[in-house]
Amino acid sequence: QVQLVESGGGLVQPGGSLRLSCAASGFTFRFSAYVMSWYRQAPGKERELVATITSAGSSTDYADSVKGRFAISRDNAKNTVYLQMNSLKPEDTAVYYCNAPRAGGSYYGRWGQGTQVTVSS
């Protein structure tokens, strides 16, 4: 069973930076075989896709709202995916999650606890 543990969140002022980590385990195949994504859910809103990285890390994609500010990366040797967040805005406040998306809109992993990011002065 795939387990995902997010960390690195916290309280930061607008314009600040945070680096989130997601440690994954329990995949059927090697971690390097899976596309990984970061998602976030703000209070009262649906979970939204933030960033995606291909299995080998050669290609990334971002939501328009974070392009140019966030960067997703992965270390397949450590079964870990990262999200570097710069120039943070109050509207980035949310619980951030990672998961491995699969065809049909489902996911390989169960949703973890996520990590809270709060951007406030």
Side-chain angles (χ1 to χ4, degrees):
Q1 184 171 336
V2 176
Q3 292 190 327
L4 303 159
V5 180
E6 301 91 350
S7 62
L11 173 64
V12 62
Q13 291 186 342
S17 298
L18 283 173
R19 189 194 194 204
L20 307 184
S21 298
C22 167
S25 61
F27 282 103
T28 300
F29 303 104
R30 287 183 301 176
F31 175 72
S32 59
Y34 296 85
V35 171
M36 293 296 297
S37 294
W38 281 97
Y39 305 81
R40 67 186 182 186
Q41 187 167 20
K45 295 188 177 181
E46 293 188 353
R47 184 176 290 137
E48 64 172 344
L49 175 63
V50 174
T52 298
I53 188 167
T54 53
S55 56
S58 58
S59 181
T60 58
D61 194 27
Y62 299 92
D64 287 343
S65 59
V66 307
K67 277 182 182 177
R69 300 188 297 121
F70 289 12
I72 187 172
S73 61
R74 65 191 295 161
D75 185 338
N76 286 338
K78 295 182 178 180
N79 286 15
T80 301
V81 62
Y82 304 97
L83 186 67
Q84 177 67 43
M85 305 187 297
N86 299 324
S87 302
L88 282 161
K89 304 176 181 180
E91 51 263 44
D92 295 318
T93 295
V95 179
Y96 284 71
Y97 304 87
C98 66
N99 212 326
R102 59 192 304 175
S106 61
Y107 305 90
Y108 285 100
R110 283 190 173 187
W111 294 103
Q113 295 296 310
T115 187
Q116 175 71 49
V117 172
T118 303
V119 185
S120 176
S121 54

